[in-house]
Amino acid sequence: MPRTMRFLAISCLTACLLAGIAHAAPVSEQRLLAAGSDVDNWLSYGRDYSEQRYTPLDQINAGNVSGLGMAWYFETDTHLGLQSTPLAIDGVLYFSGAWNTVYAVDGATGQMLWTFDPEVPRSKSITACCGVLNRGLAAWEDLLYIGTLDGRLIAIERATGTLRWSAQTTDPNQAYSITGAPRVARGKVFIGNGGSEFGTRGFVSAYDAASGELAWRFYTVPGNPADGFENDAMARAAATWSGEWWRYGGGGTVWDSIVYDPEFNQLYLGVGNGAPHNRRIRSPGGGDNLYLASIVALNPDTGEYLWHYQQVPGDTWDYTASQQMTLAEIPWQGEQRKVILHAPKAGFVYIVDRATGKLLSAEPYTTVTWASGYDLDTGRPQENPGQDYDGEPAMVFPSAMGGHNWHPMAYSPDTGLLYIPELDMGMEFNEIDAVDYQHLRRHYNTGYELSGKAYSQAFTQAMLSHLPKAHLLAWDPVRQQAAWKLPHPYTHNGGVLATGGNLVFQGTSDGRFIAVRADNGELLWSFPTETSVMAGPISYRVNGEQYIAVTAGRGGALMMNMGRSYPTGNPNNRLLAFRLGASGSLPATPVAERPLPPPMPEASDEQIAEGRNLFNRFCARCHGADVVGDGSIPDLRYLAPVWHENFASVVLDGLMEQAGMPRFDDVLDNAQVDNIHAYVIARAHEDHALRTDQGWLARARSYLIDSAAQLAAWLVRRDAAAD
Ligand code: CA
């Protein structure tokens, strides 16, 4: 035996014994099919094939949760954010972190057993829309699977983290990325991808779980008709598009939800938005643009199309149907119906019959202005006039962030309620001139003006009357209405777990991990997490003891874009585990330093305005709207002097590319970067003045003269700055 292999064998033996997994059973098909009643384990992303994220465990319950405490925490070496739902298999937790690093940790002690780093090229961050993050893993037999930012599907050995096989699932020359968890069923691994806004065409692939051989591929939007269609489903879809959509890729990426339904042997895809978002640019002659914003059902063995239900025909607001699909059986008009429960970005809870794809219910779970409702006979929405920003700016609810995004929801068969991390927020959409539209591959294309131009009257009124809010929302699918709502102090809160102990767990962006009564929403318990939490919690059992675990670390599109997250500094990402009677705590997070901005450079108002527009197009999706960052990556208002001195080198020459800051020399020149820099410094001075200048009210009054919306935005920023 070569020395390295002997070393691996010995270290595995040690690790396996330490973890008590020497006799760990493979994750067989039978185990996955029975995962719902396997209370010790959390075997797949949504716990079992139903993806209800409900554990029957009730050792921790509404009566004793006040005695819950932190048993241990495991800290990673980055603070780039965690979205990962861990798997819990025979006493070991497996989760994915920034840059797709995989960790195996003892479930009882938090001791690390192994890590696996797929060595994703750091330049890939340019087409990672929302941080270099990953939502989870899949398990099958003795293997774990992860999809990587650069489009690989990788199988590693669960006992050791050793590479078994790797398949490139995307064209590496295109701007695809993977952040979603793979799913496994019937001996195949299913993997989608993201990158709509960067000019990609969505598809899902199935690979043989053991060998990594490609089994089938299903595209979600049609390609160029001149190349021929892959199947009849694509030919039918092409009839609903116009113009030369394929030049933009079309979008429709399946970047999160893929659900296998063992009762019908169907695979459901949650298909994403159109790209660019603006339908007048994407498909100038109109049309439904199949299969955007749809649930598509496939035969998992062959990839053959079975049925679809399109929620948002001709999507023009980034309304993905990618969000979590949950399978349930609910009483419906006197009979039991097997349904998909779905609360995607568009703001409606859709209840869809799993056998046929027929829409049973679509009721708004948050503020919705783009549609007044659905015709249940046709399944089509009634779009409200003026909301598609054709010529006139439109204030639209939900925003492009959605009324609910990827953050996992949960369904409890005990209460019959669906628990949704809701986001009640609108956004102004401004048309751009289609003639001026520049589609930039590798960069983020929406096809509308991002905020930064003058705010409209509608936006002004909406901002003042309806500031962003967020709730943990319990939805009764049978009565088709909310059962209760727990308001949160900040927007953009984490995923949800429901338990047999009449509890719902959720992490919040203001830095708490909370437990509430599942039946009435009463807040029962709270733990300070010292950072924002985005991911979905899990529950598992080791040696008869129930644990709750969650990954904690801010980042991702919502926090990066909105900036309102845990108010102090930014600790490294952590996995936290809780059990009754434990009393651990986390080290206090040091307050982030806020260096003063350098003096304002020579720049005209026009140059600063150009800097703002360029910032909004190229920088804001990571560094935050109005330059208010979430801290998981640098808040540019608080750059140390050295970064101001090297600003152009960072942006144009890739000085910090290895840390994940991409280079922009393909789209920006020196003069433009100077203007961006001037805008950033101007914003730093503005907010520094807000934090220190007691005369802020007078300053705010002067803004009121220009625009009440500016005032509202200013007040929100002031509160954030004061934190
Ligand atoms: Ca999108």
Side-chain angles (χ1 to χ4, degrees), residues 129 196-197 253 255 272-274 277 318-320 322 345 400 444:
C129 76
S196 285
E197 286 81 3
T253 50
W255 54 266
N273 57 279
H277 300 168
D318 192 11
Y319 285 164
T320 62
S322 319
K345 277 186 181 180
Y444 201 75

Side-chain angles (χ1 to χ4, degrees), residues 372-540:
S372 57
Y374 276 75
D375 178 334
L376 292 181
D377 290 329
T378 63
R380 294 183 72 88
Q382 290 117 5
E383 232 185 87
N384 283 326
Q387 287 280 288
D388 69 345
Y389 53 96
D390 188 358
E392 291 284 319
M395 184 70 191
V396 182
F397 287 78
S399 76
M401 305 286 180
H404 161 229
N405 209 297
W406 63 267
H407 310 77
M409 56 183 194
Y411 173 76
S412 166
D414 301 336
T415 61
L417 299 177
L418 185 66
Y419 302 96
I420 305 168
E422 177 252 14
L423 172 59
D424 181 3
M425 187 175 91
M427 162 180 165
E428 185 172 79
F429 290 76
N430 273 289
E431 180 72 297
I432 55 170
D433 191 338
V435 179
D436 291 344
Y437 177 66
Q438 263 192 309
H439 194 78
L440 298 173
R441 289 199 178 232
R442 281 180 81 247
H443 295 281
Y444 201 75
N445 300 281
T446 60
Y448 47 75
E449 202 68 65
L450 295 168
S451 66
K453 292 218 161 172
Y455 293 110
S456 73
Q457 192 66 30
F459 178 76
T460 301
Q461 286 165 359
M463 268 304 275
L464 289 175
S465 65
H466 201 132
L467 288 169
K469 296 192 285 280
H471 304 88
L472 172 57
L473 166 68
W475 183 264
D476 184 333
V478 176
R479 297 170 67 206
Q480 305 173 69
Q481 64 187 44
W484 52 259
K485 280 168 117 173
L486 178 71
H488 286 313
Y490 291 7
T491 52
H492 311 108
N493 298 285
V496 173
L497 163 74
T499 81
N502 191 24
L503 292 173
V504 173
F505 287 89
Q506 184 185 25
T508 67
S509 56
D510 61 300
R512 293 172 300 145
F513 188 49
I514 62 169
V516 307
R517 273 182 70 109
D519 53 2
N520 68 12
E522 183 191 351
L523 179 64
L524 297 175
W525 175 84
S526 172
F527 177 86
T529 52
E530 296 294 332
T531 187
S532 306
V533 178
M534 301 184 282
I538 67 162
S539 185
Y540 62 99

Side-chain angles (χ1 to χ4, degrees), residues 38-59:
D38 179 0
V39 293
D40 285 349
N41 296 304
W42 189 285
L43 294 179
S44 63
Y45 183 67
R47 185 162 184 276
D48 70 353
Y49 283 134
S50 73
E51 306 230 355
Q52 292 182 354
R53 290 179 176 261
Y54 165 82
T55 175
L57 284 174
D58 61 2
Q59 193 178 69

Side-chain angles (χ1 to χ4, degrees), residues 448-651:
Y448 47 75
E449 202 68 65
L450 295 168
S451 66
K453 292 218 161 172
Y455 293 110
S456 73
Q457 192 66 30
F459 178 76
T460 301
Q461 286 165 359
M463 268 304 275
L464 289 175
S465 65
H466 201 132
L467 288 169
K469 296 192 285 280
H471 304 88
L472 172 57
L473 166 68
W475 183 264
D476 184 333
V478 176
R479 297 170 67 206
Q480 305 173 69
Q481 64 187 44
W484 52 259
K485 280 168 117 173
L486 178 71
H488 286 313
Y490 291 7
T491 52
H492 311 108
N493 298 285
V496 173
L497 163 74
T499 81
N502 191 24
L503 292 173
V504 173
F505 287 89
Q506 184 185 25
T508 67
S509 56
D510 61 300
R512 293 172 300 145
F513 188 49
I514 62 169
V516 307
R517 273 182 70 109
D519 53 2
N520 68 12
E522 183 191 351
L523 179 64
L524 297 175
W525 175 84
S526 172
F527 177 86
T529 52
E530 296 294 332
T531 187
S532 306
V533 178
M534 301 184 282
I538 67 162
S539 185
Y540 62 99
R541 196 166 64 178
V542 186
N543 303 326
E545 183 83 42
Q546 182 186 0
Y547 289 80
I548 309 286
V550 69
T551 58
R554 72 178 77 177
L558 303 191
M559 287 182 193
M560 292 194 302
N561 285 305
M562 291 300 294
R564 194 85 196 268
S565 61
Y566 189 67
T568 64
N570 201 32
N572 282 343
N573 299 329
R574 296 175 178 133
L575 170 61
L576 317 177
F578 301 86
R579 64 172 166 75
L580 289 174
S583 58
S585 61
L586 291 165
T589 302
V591 175
E593 282 195 49
R594 286 175 166 169
L596 295 181
M600 198 53 216
E602 292 269 348
S604 67
D605 288 351
E606 290 72 28
Q607 285 171 319
I608 293 175
E610 195 209 7
R612 182 186 61 203
N613 289 337
L614 292 169
F615 182 92
N616 284 335
R617 172 130 206 208
F618 296 110
C619 317
R621 69 187 166 86
C622 294
H623 290 287
D626 294 330
V627 205
V628 179
D630 79 334
S632 71
I633 53 176
D635 186 320
L636 301 183
R637 294 171 301 166
Y638 308 124
L639 284 179
V642 62
W643 301 119
H644 285 292
E645 287 154 25
N646 291 286
F647 197 87
S649 291
V650 171
V651 179

